[in-house]
Amino acid sequence: MMTAAYNWTDRRRYLWLCGLIVPLSPFLGYAMVDRLGPGMFWAFGSMVMAVVLPVIDVLRGSDSTSPPAEVYRKLDADRYYRWCVYLYLPLQYTGLVFACWCWTYAPMGTAERLALASTVAVVGGVGINAAHELGHRRTDRERFLSKIALAQSAYGHFYVEHNHGHHIRVATHDDPASARFGESYWRFVPRSIVGGFLSGWRYETGRLHRSGHRTLGWRNNILNAWAITVVLWAGLTTAFGLHVLPWLVLQAIGGVMILECANYIEHYGLLREKSPGGNYRRVTPRDSWNSDHVWSNLFLYHLQRHSDHHANPARRYQTLRSAPDAPQLPAGYATMCLLATIPPLWRRVMDKRVLAFQDDDFDRINLAPRDIRLRRAVSSDLS
């Protein structure tokens, strides 16, 4: 065992840099428009996520290889992997400034501006994923960088809610970020956004009150995260004019929709078991959907090994393991996000998997409150 661990190497070590293609996509789109002509290439970022990654995932398939436990400490301490995430941020914001320049000065029609906004939204949405990785770390620097990554999409409350709300209540009826069985993506999004904000605000105000501090102050992690967005957007509108503001709002909405699509996928229909005392048991890999599709994992810093992430949230992305006992997605997130936007197709693919994983036992499935009441009423009538 020790010999195998000693000889183990990360075969994908340098492929983790592929994730930086995403923040480079505004520049790559510009280059393709300049060389090839068609304005559709302004949507290069969307093309990568909606077309290129699903195709490559199908061709390359999945790989459940995991690092041996003996190398975790060394792998965790390897700063190369941290820089693969750190570098996302300067590229993210250079691309955002470049997009504002294009919206202002480049010869673009409305359709082309919309296409560029979709690319910038992908950059922001995957940037929230970078913030997710950084926000789980214990260093003040990485947590601050998490807020920076969130600023583009104006989603600062995620910094608080994800760690102190979602990770505590995941796969329960009380978690707004855990999608219920039969709930469409379009119903889930507003519930998750509003519920996530309210939950995060309750936690943050409670933390401040316990510490003897005011809610409306610079110590409020939601308000100071939003303040970064205000400074960022004010700087961009000052530099390029107010006409970029609608595009900033549009790309932020798109980035949030991408993040919430990942949330929707990650726990759809799953419900944690309760102990005899009525409390939810500790989170296990069975409470999140897992995917080992190689290339979408490379682009998303192993977000798709979400089962191990929730069971061991302190682990950095490079040390996350495959979870064979967890429910398995039939494709990577890029493909599953496309399915999620078409509810009948999503339910045809996913509902049978939820039922099979939970042995057709609806008491072990996360149902909407109205469905729970209906089942109780039916059970009462039958008894």
Side-chain angles (χ1 to χ4, degrees), residues 45-63:
S46 298
M47 293 176 183
V48 168
M49 298 303 291
V51 180
V52 177
L53 270 184
V55 170
I56 296 178
D57 268 345
V58 169
L59 296 176
R60 178 61 180 84
S62 60
D63 183 355

Side-chain angles (χ1 to χ4, degrees), residues 249-290:
V249 172
L250 189 62
Q251 65 81 29
I253 292 172
V256 169
M257 296 291 284
I258 291 169
L259 177 276
E260 292 297 348
C261 196
N263 277 340
Y264 178 75
I265 292 167
E266 287 162 352
H267 309 283
Y268 176 77
L270 301 178
L271 183 66
R272 269 157 59 193
E273 294 182 1
K274 288 188 175 182
S275 66
N279 296 319
Y280 286 107
R281 295 186 184 276
R282 183 182 181 276
V283 179
T284 72
R286 293 175 59 86
D287 302 316
S288 311
W289 290 92
N290 182 74

Side-chain angles (χ1 to χ4, degrees), residues 82-311:
R82 303 184 194 188
W83 280 100
C84 288
V85 182
Y86 294 167
L87 287 173
Y88 192 99
L89 274 66
L91 295 177
Q92 172 185 354
Y93 283 103
T94 303
L96 181 62
V97 172
F98 177 69
C100 288
W101 181 88
C102 291
W103 285 323
T104 303
Y105 298 112
M108 305 168 69
T110 300
E112 291 171 310
R113 286 182 166 83
L114 286 168
L116 177 57
S118 74
T119 285
V120 179
V122 168
V123 176
V126 179
I128 299 176
N129 179 49
H132 167 259
E133 172 66 23
L134 293 165
H136 274 288
R137 309 286 70 89
R138 296 180 179 179
T139 67
D140 291 339
R141 176 178 61 187
E142 287 176 297
R143 290 182 176 181
F144 176 71
L145 289 176
S146 177
K147 294 180 182 179
I148 296 294
L150 290 168
Q152 175 179 332
S153 299
Y155 219 52
H157 74 271
F158 179 86
Y159 173 85
V160 173
E161 162 57 17
H162 180 78
N163 285 350
H164 303 290
H166 175 59
H167 267 264
I168 303 301
R169 300 191 301 266
V170 64
T172 70
H173 299 306
D174 301 322
D175 180 32
S178 294
R180 296 158 178 166
F181 183 79
E183 181 179 33
S184 76
Y185 165 68
W186 304 106
R187 282 184 174 271
F188 167 80
V189 168
R191 183 174 70 82
S192 181
I193 293 174
V194 174
F197 164 70
L198 293 176
S199 172
W201 187 260
R202 283 192 298 269
Y203 171 84
E204 190 63 10
T205 55
R207 181 188 70 84
L208 290 168
H209 289 164
R210 288 191 299 273
S211 303
H213 300 301
R214 295 179 303 153
T215 298
L216 302 179
W218 64 269
R219 290 184 176 87
N220 187 311
N221 282 314
I222 294 178
L223 294 182
N224 60 46
W226 283 349
I228 300 173
T229 296
V230 172
V231 171
L232 171 66
W233 287 19
L236 292 172
T237 54
T238 299
F240 295 102
L242 282 173
H243 62 273
V244 301
L245 186 57
W247 301 110
L248 291 173
V249 172
L250 189 62
Q251 65 81 29
I253 292 172
V256 169
M257 296 291 284
I258 291 169
L259 177 276
E260 292 297 348
C261 196
N263 277 340
Y264 178 75
I265 292 167
E266 287 162 352
H267 309 283
Y268 176 77
L270 301 178
L271 183 66
R272 269 157 59 193
E273 294 182 1
K274 288 188 175 182
S275 66
N279 296 319
Y280 286 107
R281 295 186 184 276
R282 183 182 181 276
V283 179
T284 72
R286 293 175 59 86
D287 302 316
S288 311
W289 290 92
N290 182 74
S291 172
D292 288 322
H293 288 79
V294 175
W295 281 90
S296 45
N297 261 322
L298 288 169
F299 274 70
L300 297 174
Y301 302 115
H302 256 163
L303 179 67
Q304 298 174 153
R305 288 192 169 179
H306 210 64
S307 296
D308 191 35
H309 166 68
H310 267 280

